[in-house]
Amino acid sequence: PSRGLGDVYKRQFEQAPKDYKGEGVVPGVRVQGEVYPLAFGGSGMLSGLGVGFELDQTFGLKIRTAGMELPTTVRHYSVDVRFRLGNKRNRASVTLLGGYGRRTFVISRGNVNVDMPDVDYAMVTPGLAFRLPMGKVAFFGDARALLVTSAGAIEKANSYGGATITAFEAEAGLEFELSRRLALRLAGDVAVLGYSFKGNGELSNNRDADAATKDVGGAADRFIGGALTLAVSY
């Protein structure tokens, strides 16, 4: 992940926050799935109704500050109801999505003062996915709006306070067929969450000890990842 706490008014002052650009590549595990229970009973319209889920957990990420390495949790999960138009693996399909997700970035800071807020997003996630097979290879992807209902510690009065958040996430990749039931999937994904602070938080309007001016007008969270997974179909 990379994170930016930017001053939309371009003010420069000693207490201005610094951007976090990430700690390089770290390992993780991803589990995804989708199930269409009514597809076992026939090929009617309701056979495209199903549920999906995803869990993505990073391991070994540590924030380096003041000569210390602080363990950091980065996790994402989601569940959704989906409706797939087209259920043949050798034909193109489009899937309508609607669900709920969480995305977490939390530093185990103990008593160490780290000028970087924790976030724990809760989101409603409507979107659209597609799959386009081309022989033994298929191109797939999805895009979702992230309707954030809460953002965690960053929203508290002693942090940056309330904000308007505009966000989306997208994934794209290739699927290589190994057999009728097995495939290898290579995917990349990105999530972007943009803030416009309301100016009612200690760190958004009082960093320079002058509460009468807004010091930080906006911010952006960017989560960038990739995965190599084995897909099993039924």
Side-chain angles (χ1 to χ4, degrees):
S2 64
R3 315 186 71 195
L5 290 166
D7 182 358
V8 295
Y9 299 112
K10 307 300 182 184
R11 295 178 62 243
Q12 300 296 325
F13 56 100
E14 182 180 355
Q15 301 87 352
K18 304 297 188 297
D19 286 351
Y20 168 64
K21 298 298 184 182
E23 302 293 335
V25 177
V26 292
V29 63
R30 177 177 298 180
V31 180
Q32 294 173 289
E34 55 182 352
V35 181
Y36 297 88
L38 300 180
F40 292 104
S43 57
M45 179 175 291
L46 291 181
S47 66
L49 185 63
V51 295
F53 65 90
E54 177 179 339
L55 171 64
D56 196 322
Q57 173 76 58
T58 296
F59 298 103
L61 178 62
K62 295 182 179 180
I63 300 299
R64 296 173 175 83
T65 182
M68 303 179 66
E69 294 185 341
L70 306 178
T72 302
T73 299
V74 179
R75 179 188 303 116
H76 164 64
Y77 72 83
S78 64
V79 294
D80 62 64
V81 176
R82 51 186 60 198
F83 185 73
R84 183 175 62 187
L85 304 173
N87 56 11
K88 302 293 185 182
R89 286 191 59 79
N90 62 346
R91 296 183 182 179
S93 64
V94 175
T95 304
L96 305 177
L97 311 167
Y100 172 83
R102 298 291 291 265
R103 190 174 288 271
T104 301
F105 184 104
V106 175
I107 303 170
S108 298
R109 62 192 73 210
N111 295 323
V112 180
N113 183 26
V114 182
D115 191 13
M116 185 188 309
D118 292 336
V119 293
D120 185 12
Y121 300 109
M123 307 169 290
V124 178
T125 58
L128 187 71
F130 72 91
R131 184 175 182 276
L132 179 62
M134 298 170 287
K136 296 291 186 179
V137 179
F139 180 56
F140 64 90
D142 68 66
R144 303 178 189 237
L146 304 180
L147 309 180
V148 178
T149 58
S150 64
I154 193 173
E155 293 183 304
K156 293 182 177 180
N158 63 353
S159 187
Y160 285 88
T164 299
I165 303 175
T166 304
F168 73 93
E169 66 180 14
E171 179 184 35
L174 293 172
E175 181 180 284
F176 303 91
E177 183 178 322
L178 303 178
S179 69
R180 185 169 176 268
R181 298 293 185 188
L182 297 177
L184 196 64
R185 292 167 65 98
L186 178 63
D189 59 85
V190 61
V192 178
L193 300 99
Y195 287 75
S196 177
F197 293 119
K198 297 179 180 179
N200 56 5
E202 182 72 14
L203 297 184
S204 64
N205 67 351
N206 199 33
R207 295 185 69 98
D208 60 356
D210 179 5
T213 60
K214 183 188 287 188
D215 301 325
V216 181
D221 255 346
R222 294 173 292 271
F223 296 84
I224 301 170
L228 181 65
T229 56
L230 181 67
V232 180
S233 61
Y234 61 88

